[in-house]
Structure formats: structure tokens, C-alpha cells
Amino acid sequence: MKRNSWKKIVATASALALIMGCLTGCGGEEPKESSVQPSEQTSSQETSESTGSDSSAPSEEEPASAGITFPLAEQVELTIATPDGNVASLADNLPVWEEIQKRTNIKINWDVTASKQYVDVMKLRVGAGGGKLPDIMFLPNGLSLAELGGQGTILPLEEYIANSENIQKAYEQFPNVKALTSADGHIYSVNTLNESAYFAPYSFIIRKDWLDRLNLEVPETIDDWMTVLRAFRDQDANGNGDAGDEVPFSAGGHAWYTTYWANAWGLHLFQSDGWYPDENGQMQYEFISDEAKEFYTWLNAFYEEKLLDEEFLTLGDENKLYEKVSRDEVGAFTAYPSRIATLEAALEANGVEGAELIPVVPPKGPYAQMTEVVGDMTVNGYVVTSSCEHPDVAVALMDYMMSEEGKELMNFGIEGDTYVKENDGTYSFTEKVTANPDGLSASEVLSSYGCQLGLCYLKSDKREQAMLYSYPEELQQKIIDVTDATRPYMVAGMTLPPATEEESESISGLSGDLATYIWEMTGKFTVGTADIEAEWDSYVEYVKTLGVEKILAVKQAQYDRLTSQQ
Amino acid sequence: MKGNVRKTEKQPLGKRMAAGGKRFLKNVKRDKALLLIILPVVVHYLVFVYYPMYGNIIAFKKYSPVKGIMGSDWVGFRYFIQFFNSPYFTRVLKNTLLISVFSILWGFPIPILFALMTNDLKHGAYKRIVQAVSYIPYFISTVIICGMLVNFLSPSSGIINSVIKAFGGEPINFLMEPKWFRTVFIASGIWQGFGWSAIVYLAALTGVSQELYEAARVDGASKIQQVIHVSIPCILPTIIVTFIMQIGTLMSVGYEKIILLYNPVTLDVADVISSYTYRTGLVEGNYSFGSAVGLFNSAINLVLVIFANKLSRKVSEVSLW
């Protein structure tokens, strides 16, 4: 008991960090554009000129990285600034990077900063100007590509990228990369791409053993869900003799989590923040649509019926939710299916026998059956600075990271040491990873080898599958099956190209006030302190006075730039 | 002395400065030990208080991390106007003032009462234990305090609601009820801080001469009368100085505890200037806006302190300066 309550306290201690993360999430999923940028758009022409005088200019006659083959005949040194690994430091010559350097004959000088401080430190270094910047750096959040590019601090990479075979091949799989092109037509960064975003995406998770105990089927529609959750509420689903201690559906401390249900109303509130084009390509703010009104009406009933945890706004963070789940109190929630193993283990540790959690295919609702998927591309990527003497080699190295070889190294480590490649093309980890003698988790072991650290790469969905090794086979199969069953309903979240300076200037300060109001009203509509019927019109009106039309105009322009690229 | 001054006045400027310099050097030489002692403090203030103040100019600039503080463009009062025109300006101002005023109203007398009570404890060990227990909460971090509050106030498993239920009441979802927010916020603040704040009064009380109490006892004063007529008048200067300092923080309610305790439903009463600035300034990276609001707060606080100080000097002849 005592230990448990300490755990609780420790878990709450992380509340600040998570609330911050949460607020950022609500602020907008789009790549954050700092509102401060150089005054004139024309600076893009100056860029090519100013870099033209540099020895590092993209030479027009020779296609960029086409001529480069690894290993290089003559060794080249590159300095890379990047957030450091949390398990082992890149500066200590980690095996994967040793191997990459050997195979490419590039000597890498690491300029690493602890991942938590990276953004602040790097922003200061770039801000201070002067001095030599690293050749390649991970763009810290808050600096704008367009501004740095306009000043010539970072180099346009599109010509090199156009000639990079592996990057091009990877880009074909990811339509979102179109959003990497800035309004000035340049591409300044290469970002990490994630195939596994579509493997086991964020979904509803339900207690299968509770369903079995009450002889219920896995819910397929919103109405099914209501029936199942009512049964959880009333029929002592956890079988402890007290019918009052079950929370049918819980969420982790922010109104945002409840908008996952809005998928079934065809609304893109959860991942795209409500900014989504209609079928005519017109950007809409879905939080004020008629469907949203219906959704909120449902959500209010959902809360009033006590199907939604009455603590859903005060839990603090996801960890508090997971604790509640592991105390055998919660019937369903939303999470990444990769959580299941940990949660089942926690349930078992708390003496719950036969606890079984399963991901559920998105339910069919009044207007849609879908789930928004994001995260197939990181918001920020790696840029090449004007200090770099060999930008062609730098991009060639990034290209190498996206190759089959680079992919294997970054996802699985060293063949024979950390993984074995089976004949059928699947990968499995060695015991060094799966049952580490030092007690490290699989991803910690791989991180200590340098996997998924240091530079952009292609995150393989085969890695996610290989990571399922620790799951009971049945659960592995279930997750794979549910992913396959979910695939037809996956809808890509909206990733827009960066806003221009004028654009972000015109809406500066608006989105924060809007987000505050939206989440406040979402909470109030849900709990019922604001009456939906009576207050909807004034709500819509107020959203408009907060400048939603101005923001829509900017989003529309960004969206048009995206669709105008072929 | 007088003649001396006239003489220096007549001397040419260079010589006078040389003389002044000489005297200065002599003084430095004489007081070098004292100067050495004060040096770290001066350095601390210069480096950590005065030097960072120049960063305040970004409140009048469109700060860009790339251009740096000096290189950013001037925009005048733009961010102040943006703040005054914000749809949430009146709400956050009102909430800040309400929370501050009630915090002072309830929170200010309690440490004084507590100090007066513990001061009269005669048993040494018992007194020390009471004191230690009372100021321990001050050392718990805000994040943990808020975690404890969420746990204790939980409608399903919290201690408070268990007690309410045991007495047959309906559980209250404290953190979801706007009307409870200020109570929870201020009460927990008092619980956390009263023991610590009482230290300064206890120190003042130990300075009260025992002869005064003896004289009062001889005159037949009861315990209560001794407190009213001896203890309180003797620590009144301390009380007034502390009060003036508190007035100077009227506009600053820290954001940490607010953002850990508020949620959309209680935002109406919970959102204060600092939490609003935190969201628009820090989370969205709008540093100039954040500085503008901070500067506005400091300016008002300064005016309030000056006003409170003047008033107190007039009324009670006790003042900060």
C-alpha cells in the first residue's frame, strides 16, 4: 500500500511535463513556425547568390550526390549536431555509427547535447550567430526554415535530394513529404520517416476478459460501445463483488483525449486539430461544424450516463490513466497497442488473473468509420548549414541512412550481434536484446548501440513487429490482425507545409486564444456546465470573433501550396 | 570642515578629482575587509538581477532567436496592446486579483497567529517539533503538492471524499467545480506556506524584551492582554514590512500550481495572467509577448509597493524606505 501510494506520487510528479506536452499538442500539430521571420520574401533569391559565392554551392553542371559512392575514396569529416541518446552517448563511438563510418569512410564528429536541453542550447547557438556551425544539425523547434534559409544560414537541398536515389524511393511511400517544401520553393531539411505509423496506430483498447465475463462481443459500432460500457458500469465487470468501482471508459487528463471518439462523426479533431479540407478542397474548422454539435451532444450524454470517467479532466496525465487501468478499474481507454504488454503485466502484478487487453477496430459511427493517423514524418528534420564544405557528401550520407543498409543498421543494429535476418525477410532480435543480461529493455539495448539516433532514418515497421517478441504469441497475432482490419479505416492527418512570414504574422497570437476557448468549451459541453442547445450559436459566433477566418485563410493558402505540387 | 569644503571648491577640477580619488582609495584601503564581504552580493545582483534586465527590451521588439536580442526589430508597444486587446484580458486580470486578494486576506494573518501561539509554548522540544512539522510542507515541490491534491480530492478514491462518504455525504468532484477552485488553491497554499512564513515573526518575537511582559504581568494583564498589548505592538513593524512586500506580489500568481490544477471546466476562475502568458508566450514561443506581460505586471507591482509604503509611512510611521 505504502509503495503504491509513493508510486502514485512519483507518477504525478511528471504531471508538469505532460501537461506541457499536452498543451503543445493542443496548440497545433502543424510544424511550429516561429512568428518572426525576415521581412522580405525576395531573400530567397539572395540565398542562392550568397551561397553561390560559397565553395559549398550546389553546382549546376554536376548532379549532386549522383557521383558519390560509398565508401568514399578520400575520407571526409562531417560534424553533426543532434540530441544525444538517453542510454548511451553518441560521442562514445557506438557500434552502429562505427559501422556507418567504416562503410562510408566519413568521419563523424559528434556535437551532441542532452536531448532535453538540445532545443534551448541549439537555439542559442544559432541565435548568437558568428562562429562555425556544425555541418549538419537537427533543427531545433522554434527556428524557422524559411528564415534560416533566407539568411543563408542553411542550404537549400532540393537539387541534392532530387538525385538521391534512396531518399526519392522513400519519399514515394510518404505523400506527406510534400509538406517539406517551403513557400520559397526550397527544401531545407531531410526528416525521419516512420513506416510504423501505420502499424498498430493509436486506438481504442478494451478489457477482453471483462467482455467475456459478461458474455459480450467486441463492439463494432458506437451503439455497441454504449451497450458494452453500460454493462461494464452496472454488472460488476471486474468481478470483485462491488458493482460500483468500475470506470467504463477513462481518459488521461485533457479534454483532447475524448475527441478521439469524434472520428466516428467524420471529424478530424484528434490529430489535425479540426483543420481539414472538405471534399471540395476548402479548409474547414471542424470544431464549429454541425457534426461537431452532434458529437458534443453525444459526448455530454456519454458523461451524464457516467460512462466517461468523472476524473477525465483531473487525472493529470496518461500515466495516471495507466495506473487506474492497472488497478483493475477501467474497462476501455485509448492508447497505442504497444502499451498493452506493460499494462497486462501491471494488472497481473496487482493480482488480477487472466486480464486481457485488446486493441479494437475503430467503431462505425453516425458519419464515418475511421481513425486519423499521424507521425509518419517528424516535424523537424536535419539541415545542412552554410559552414558545411561538402553538402553533397552530407546529403549522400542522409541518402545512405534511407537505404536498405542504413535502414537495417538504424532499426536493428548489427547483424549477428543484435539481430538475425530470417530467410523470409523478417528480422528477429538476439537474446542480447530480448533478454539482456544487464536488465535493459530491448529499445534501451538498441539505443546503446546507436540505433535510431544521430541522423534522419527510415523507421521500419518490421522493427515494430520484431519488438512484439516479448508479447505472448496470441497477442502478437491479435495486434497484427487488428492492424490489418484497421488499415482500410486509416485516414492521414493533415500535414501542411510551413507558413510564410506574412502568413504567420497575420495570425500571430490567434491560435493560442482559440485553443484555450475550444478546450474550455469542449470540457464544458461534455460536463454540461455549458448547455449545447442554448449556447451553440454563441459558441460558433465567438470562435469567429477569435479570428478563425484569418487562420482558415492561411491554412487554405498552405493547403493550396501542398496540392499544387504534383 | 566648512573651510575645507571652500578650499576644494576653489581648486581646479582635475585636482579635486585627484583628491577625491585619493580619499576614495584611502577609504577602500581602510574598509577592504567589509568591501570584500559585500562583494559576492554585489556581483550576484549585477550578474543575476541587473544584467538579465536588459533582456526586458524584447518586450518592445519582435524577438527572433536568429537575430538575437539586439538585432531584432523594434515594434514599440505592440505586444502590450495585443495583451490589452486579448479576449481573455479582463478574465485573467480579475482572476489574478481575486486569487491574490483572498490569498492575502486569509493567508496573511495565519502565520502571525501561529507565531504568537507557538511563541508561548514553554516546552522546548515540543515547540521545536511543532515548528518543524509546520514548515516541512514548504519544502515539498509544487508538482508533488498538486499530485497529492489530485489524489486526496479524487471523487472516487480520495481521502477527503472518503470522509465525506463515511458521514453519508455525496462525494464532491472538487477539481471539476469552478466554485471550489479558489478554496482549494488558497487553502493548500496556506497549508504549504504558513509555517515557513511564521519564522520571521517568531524571530521578531524572540526580540521582545521579557521585562515588558513582566511589567504587564505586574499590572495584572492576562495572557491575551499580553499578546494584544505587548507582543503585537512589538512585532508590528515586521508585520507591516511583510505586508508591503506581499502587496508587491499582488499581480503575480505563479503559473505552476495553476496549470497543474486547472482544467477546461474551471478555467473561468482559474486562468490567471501568468498561466495565460505561459500558454501564449512560452508554449507558442512568443517570447516578446511574454516579456511584455511580465513587464506590465512588474510595473503594476512596483506602483503598488510604492503606494503601500507611502500609505504606511503616513499612517503608522513604519515603512520599507
Side-chain angles (χ1 to χ4, degrees):
Chain A
M1 177 59 206
K2 201 153 203 180
R3 255 191 58 165
N4 207 7
S5 61
W6 267 110
K7 263 194 272 173
K8 268 190 244 171
I9 291 167
V10 172
T12 11
S14 58
L16 179 64
L18 271 130
I19 285 186
M20 277 175 68
C22 204
L23 285 165
T24 332
C26 311
E29 292 291 307
E30 303 81 34
K32 285 251 154 55
E33 275 298 290
S34 81
S35 54
V36 278
Q37 288 172 354
S39 46
E40 284 300 312
Q41 193 58 50
T42 51
S43 50
S44 63
Q45 274 127 33
E46 289 160 23
T47 319
S48 28
E49 264 166 4
S50 66
T51 51
S53 62
D54 223 278
S55 63
S56 57
S59 44
E60 267 133 54
E61 61 274 18
E62 204 188 326
S65 47
I68 294 175
T69 44
F70 291 124
L72 299 172
E74 207 175 313
Q75 195 182 53
V76 169
E77 285 196 26
L78 287 176
T79 308
I80 303 180
T82 184
D84 205 0
N86 293 324
V87 185
S89 172
L90 282 164
D92 296 339
N93 290 326
L94 305 181
V96 163
W97 278 99
E98 198 100 298
E99 192 64 29
I100 292 173
Q101 295 184 54
K102 208 170 76 196
R103 292 194 200 173
T104 56
N105 198 20
I106 295 174
K107 186 175 182 307
I108 296 172
N109 301 313
W110 292 108
D111 181 350
V112 289
T113 311
S115 54
K116 275 194 178 148
Q117 277 93 43
Y118 181 79
V119 172
D120 294 330
V121 168
M122 216 52 209
K123 249 202 281 203
L124 266 180
R125 272 177 64 184
V126 177
K132 201 174 174 304
L133 284 173
D135 299 316
I136 301 176
M137 72 172 174
F138 179 69
L139 185 80
N141 212 355
L143 291 187
S144 122
L145 284 173
E147 184 175 8
L148 291 172
Q151 295 173 330
T153 311
I154 57 174
L155 304 177
L157 304 177
E158 61 276 3
E159 287 184 38
Y160 302 107
I161 290 174
N163 292 308
S164 302
E165 204 185 321
N166 298 312
I167 295 182
Q168 287 302 332
K169 218 170 100 195
Y171 277 13
E172 279 164 25
Q173 295 179 56
F174 294 92
N176 271 343
V177 295
K178 282 195 285 187
L180 289 173
T181 309
S182 293
D184 59 11
H186 290 303
I187 298 173
Y188 292 108
S189 75
V190 182
N191 295 25
T192 291
L193 301 169
N194 183 3
E195 289 179 349
S196 60
Y198 294 92
F199 179 78
Y202 199 82
S203 62
F204 285 116
I205 312 274
I206 200 167
R207 282 289 292 271
K208 180 72 169 54
D209 54 323
W210 286 19
L211 286 174
D212 293 345
R213 184 172 292 134
L214 304 178
N215 287 322
L216 292 162
E217 293 292 317
V218 176
E220 286 172 4
T221 66
I222 290 289
D223 291 338
D224 288 352
W225 269 95
M226 296 289 268
T227 318
V228 162
L229 295 178
R230 279 186 199 119
F232 282 178
R233 179 192 63 195
D234 299 331
Q235 299 177 22
D236 186 23
N238 62 10
N240 68 348
D242 177 359
D245 66 344
E246 288 89 356
V247 176
F249 182 86
S250 188
H254 194 286
W256 176 64
Y257 290 99
T258 57
T259 60
Y260 188 73
W261 290 98
N263 276 310
W265 276 258
L267 298 166
H268 307 77
L269 310 186
F270 188 66
Q271 300 285 22
S272 305
D273 253 338
W275 307 103
Y276 211 82
D278 63 9
E279 56 271 35
N280 304 320
Q282 290 299 305
M283 284 303 271
Q284 302 292 327
Y285 191 48
E286 294 180 347
F287 272 103
I288 50 174
S289 63
D290 294 340
E291 289 83 3
K293 186 180 177 185
E294 287 179 39
F295 164 67
Y296 281 134
T297 310
W298 173 86
L299 191 59
N300 176 234
F302 191 60
Y303 181 81
E304 296 284 327
E305 277 199 47
K306 292 196 184 296
L307 299 179
L308 176 60
D309 191 348
E310 56 180 341
E311 291 179 295
F312 81 105
L313 287 177
T314 53
L315 271 183
D317 63 55
E318 281 178 315
N319 292 329
K320 298 277 290 179
L321 165 68
Y322 299 143
E323 247 180 68
K324 231 176 160 163
V325 171
S326 52
R327 285 201 306 263
D328 201 21
E329 288 172 9
V330 177
F333 54 97
T334 55
Y336 283 101
S338 51
R339 274 271 157 200
I340 290 180
T342 342
L343 289 173
E344 282 184 351
L347 275 160
E348 201 182 309
N350 283 347
V352 183
E353 270 169 42
E356 188 186 357
L357 289 159
I358 54 162
V360 186
V361 179
K364 193 169 163 14
Y367 294 106
Q369 180 168 22
M370 65 172 209
T371 180
E372 264 186 291
V373 177
V374 291
D376 58 354
M377 182 173 82
T378 51
V379 175
N380 290 324
Y382 284 83
V383 296
V384 179
T385 70
S386 56
S387 310
C388 181
E389 286 175 17
H390 306 281
D392 49 345
V393 178
V395 177
L397 176 63
M398 296 182 186
D399 185 55
Y400 176 79
M401 304 304 292
M402 302 275 179
S403 69
E404 273 310 308
E405 238 179 275
K407 202 170 149 186
E408 277 180 0
L409 283 163
M410 283 306 258
N411 285 290
F412 303 100
I414 308 289
E415 184 158 15
D417 191 5
T418 56
Y419 74 96
V420 190
K421 197 172 172 183
E422 312 288 347
N423 288 332
D424 61 353
T426 59
Y427 296 83
S428 55
F429 290 116
T430 60
E431 258 185 30
K432 203 167 179 179
V433 178
T434 56
N436 186 268
D438 299 328
L440 296 177
S441 77
S443 50
E444 282 171 340
V445 177
L446 290 172
S447 183
S448 74
Y449 269 76
C451 287
Q452 307 201 332
L453 281 179
L455 200 57
C456 53
Y457 64 98
L458 193 59
K459 204 171 188 176
S460 163
D461 59 355
K462 290 195 179 127
R463 168 166 155 140
E464 295 307 307
Q465 289 190 26
M467 281 297 217
L468 293 178
Y469 71 86
S470 61
Y471 288 28
E473 224 157 275
E474 223 174 293
L475 180 59
Q476 285 185 31
Q477 200 49 49
K478 196 136 270 173
I479 289 179
I480 293 170
D481 289 349
V482 170
T483 298
D484 288 340
T486 306
R487 225 172 274 272
Y489 308 118
M490 291 184 195
V491 175
M494 193 38 57
T495 310
L496 292 170
T500 66
E501 195 218 344
E502 290 94 303
E503 284 169 355
S504 44
E505 186 68 8
S506 70
I507 57 169
S508 135
L510 294 180
S511 53
D513 286 343
L514 181 62
T516 302
Y517 185 65
I518 287 297
W519 294 120
E520 184 177 345
M521 291 312 287
T522 300
K524 286 182 175 171
F525 284 147
T526 309
V527 180
T529 40
D531 183 73
I532 298 168
E533 279 309 316
E535 293 185 34
W536 186 261
D537 290 342
S538 60
Y539 158 77
V540 173
E541 211 44 53
Y542 196 70
V543 167
K544 286 185 178 153
T545 64
L546 286 174
V548 79
E549 249 116 55
K550 276 192 202 162
I551 303 177
L552 270 176
V554 169
K555 301 265 178 197
Q556 187 69 48
Q558 286 174 285
Y559 180 68
D560 290 345
R561 278 206 294 282
L562 185 72
T563 47
S564 65
Q565 297 174 44
Q566 52 303 89
Chain B
M1 185 65 199
K2 217 174 183 180
N4 210 355
V5 171
R6 240 198 355 239
K7 218 159 125 198
T8 29
E9 269 171 3
K10 269 183 189 165
Q11 280 174 342
L13 183 74
K15 253 191 184 164
R16 255 190 293 152
M17 275 176 67
K22 228 181 206 166
R23 203 171 49 234
F24 176 72
L25 279 179
K26 216 174 99 188
N27 286 349
V28 167
K29 219 168 177 185
R30 187 191 61 205
D31 300 332
K32 57 177 182 282
L34 289 176
L35 287 169
L36 207 63
I37 291 171
I38 196 87
L39 188 68
V41 181
V42 173
V43 170
H44 167 88
Y45 273 93
L46 287 179
V47 174
F48 293 109
V49 180
Y50 284 91
Y51 172 67
M53 271 191 207
Y54 104 100
N56 270 330
I57 60 174
I58 68 166
F60 305 98
K61 285 183 156 207
K62 203 176 90 180
Y63 174 65
S64 146
V66 176
K67 291 182 184 166
I69 292 178
M70 294 320 268
S72 299
D73 305 326
W74 292 97
V75 294
F77 285 92
R78 185 178 131 177
Y79 292 105
F80 293 87
I81 294 166
Q82 187 186 331
F83 177 50
F84 301 145
N85 286 340
S86 150
Y88 296 113
F89 176 68
T90 38
R91 179 168 91 175
V92 295
L93 185 68
K94 189 184 107 196
N95 287 338
T96 307
L97 289 175
L98 281 177
I99 289 180
S100 274
V101 167
F102 283 115
S103 288
I104 295 179
L105 202 66
W106 298 115
F108 190 71
I110 288 181
I112 302 173
L113 291 177
F114 179 73
L116 291 171
M117 287 193 289
T118 36
N119 189 48
D120 277 335
L121 289 177
K122 286 289 168 272
H123 195 291
Y126 181 64
K127 184 174 169 179
R128 276 196 297 278
I129 289 169
V130 167
Q131 246 182 294
V133 168
S134 73
Y135 64 64
I136 277 175
Y138 180 80
F139 296 101
I140 306 176
S141 99
T142 311
V143 181
I144 293 179
I145 294 272
C146 292
M148 287 161 68
L149 281 175
V150 172
N151 277 334
F152 293 167
L153 297 174
S154 155
S156 58
S157 55
I159 294 180
I160 312 262
N161 274 309
S162 305
V163 173
I164 293 178
K165 274 186 265 186
F167 284 99
E170 272 294 301
I172 301 168
N173 202 345
F174 289 99
L175 293 173
M176 293 274 278
E177 299 268 1
K179 62 178 183 216
W180 277 102
F181 183 84
R182 267 200 293 272
T183 313
V184 168
F185 185 89
I186 293 170
S188 59
I190 293 174
W191 168 72
Q192 204 186 349
F194 80 94
W196 184 255
S197 318
I199 292 179
V200 65
Y201 301 117
L202 279 166
L205 281 169
T206 50
V208 179
S209 164
Q210 287 303 316
E211 290 165 18
L212 291 174
Y213 290 110
E214 266 165 39
R217 272 199 295 275
V218 170
D219 287 346
S222 69
K223 245 315 51 95
I224 302 284
Q225 281 169 326
Q226 284 176 37
V227 167
I228 292 172
H229 297 290
V230 179
S231 304
I232 291 184
C234 285
I235 62 167
L236 198 61
T238 315
I239 294 177
I240 287 173
V241 168
T242 323
F243 188 73
I244 294 173
M245 307 274 268
Q246 287 237 359
I247 293 292
T249 60
L250 204 66
M251 291 286 280
S252 4
V253 174
Y255 69 90
E256 303 91 342
K257 211 171 135 193
I258 294 276
I259 63 166
L260 285 168
L261 288 178
Y262 75 11
N263 62 59
V265 182
T266 52
L267 213 55
D268 265 339
V269 293
D271 204 12
V272 296
I273 294 177
S274 60
S275 57
Y276 175 73
T277 321
Y278 165 77
R279 286 198 310 271
T280 41
L282 273 181
V283 176
E284 298 197 6
N286 206 339
Y287 302 114
S288 289
F289 180 76
S291 310
V293 179
L295 207 57
F296 166 74
N297 274 355
S298 307
I300 295 205
N301 281 337
L302 183 68
V303 170
L304 287 172
V305 170
I306 293 173
F307 179 74
N309 194 55
K310 266 219 164 102
L311 194 75
S312 146
R313 198 162 48 193
K314 268 214 174 106
V315 176
S316 66
E317 290 172 354
V318 178
S319 65
L320 262 178
W321 65 84

